[in-house]
């Protein structure tokens, strides 16, 4: 039995690793590469993919600034909850506004849960060539508007914990760079 004075055995520190960047920057690809490595190391890891969250947790929200803020706060709440229970939570989401990301960081700080912000700083011209979901092509054809970084704002983090320029390295190198930071910070 554990009492307030007895340390928890096998306690694992969790953390939220927030990967922000433009559409097709490589956030999700890097998250899955890192998750595979962490699982191989026996770590508890979850990925809160922005697209999946929009489909299941934030269904019905649009892409207004207010709806985007609400979506990011919902993701931040779930991430902090999981991280506070020893899970390394990888969160590849656009999260275009600095104030919404800062609110998530403050939630984590208030709960003393580690939070790492990673800016996947791939330039928009590279993202538009990758165009994983065809969003840039649809925007160029006039089929959609409000594409983050093109005709809707993206407020890049001024001082992220790590900036990854995915266009200059492989996915494995990007994940290794992030793994090294987490190790350095005592989160792995």
């Amino acid at each position: 039995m554990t009492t307030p004075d007895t340390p928890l055995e096998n306690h694992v520190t969790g953390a939220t690793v927030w990967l922000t960047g433009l559409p097709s920057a490589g956030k999700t690809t890097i998250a899955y590469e890192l998750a595979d490595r962490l699982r191989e190391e026996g770590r508890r890891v979850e990925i809160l993919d922005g697209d999946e969250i929009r489909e299941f947790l934030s269904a019905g929200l649009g892409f207004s600034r207010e709806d985007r803020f609400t979506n990011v706060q919902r993701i931040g709440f779930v991430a902090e909850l999981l991280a506070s229970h020893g899970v390394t939570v990888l969160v590849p989401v656009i999260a275009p506004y600095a104030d919404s990301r800062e609110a998530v960081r403050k939630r984590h700080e208030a709960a003393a849960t580690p939070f790492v912000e990673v800016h996947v700083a791939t330039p928009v011209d590279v993202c538009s060539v990758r165009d994983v979901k065809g969003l840039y092509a649809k925007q160029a054809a006039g089929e959609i508007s409000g594409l983050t970084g093109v005709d809707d704002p993206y407020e890049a983090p001024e001082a992220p914990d790590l900036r990854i320029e995915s266009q200059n390295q492989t996915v494995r190198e990007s994940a290794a760079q992030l793994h090294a930071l987490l190790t350095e910070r005592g989160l792995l």
Side-chain angles (χ1 to χ4, degrees), residues 98-131:
D99 62 343
S100 65
R101 295 189 307 265
E102 184 59 24
V104 171
R105 179 185 293 277
K106 286 183 178 181
R107 169 185 293 282
H108 282 71
E109 287 173 356
T113 303
F115 179 88
V116 176
E117 183 180 52
V118 178
H119 180 207
V120 182
T122 311
V124 69
D125 58 321
V126 174
C127 294
S128 66
V129 169
R130 290 178 181 173
D131 204 9

Side-chain angles (χ1 to χ4, degrees), residues 58-115:
S58 293
L61 289 180
F63 291 91
S64 68
R65 185 178 179 101
E66 181 179 280
D67 282 355
R68 288 177 190 244
F69 187 90
T70 299
N71 183 52
V72 167
Q73 297 318 296
R74 287 177 183 176
I75 297 168
F77 171 79
V78 174
E80 194 284 320
L81 182 66
L82 289 168
S84 72
H85 287 87
V87 177
T88 300
V89 185
L90 307 177
V91 186
V93 296
I94 296 170
Y97 301 112
D99 62 343
S100 65
R101 295 189 307 265
E102 184 59 24
V104 171
R105 179 185 293 277
K106 286 183 178 181
R107 169 185 293 282
H108 282 71
E109 287 173 356
T113 303
F115 179 88

Side-chain angles (χ1 to χ4, degrees), residues 146-173:
L147 181 59
T148 302
V150 178
D151 60 352
D152 208 52
Y154 177 75
E155 299 170 357
E158 292 182 16
D161 298 290
L162 178 64
R163 191 176 314 278
I164 294 174
E165 296 181 359
S166 71
Q167 75 278 9
N168 297 329
Q169 57 193 25
T170 67
V171 172
R172 179 170 279 179
E173 290 169 336

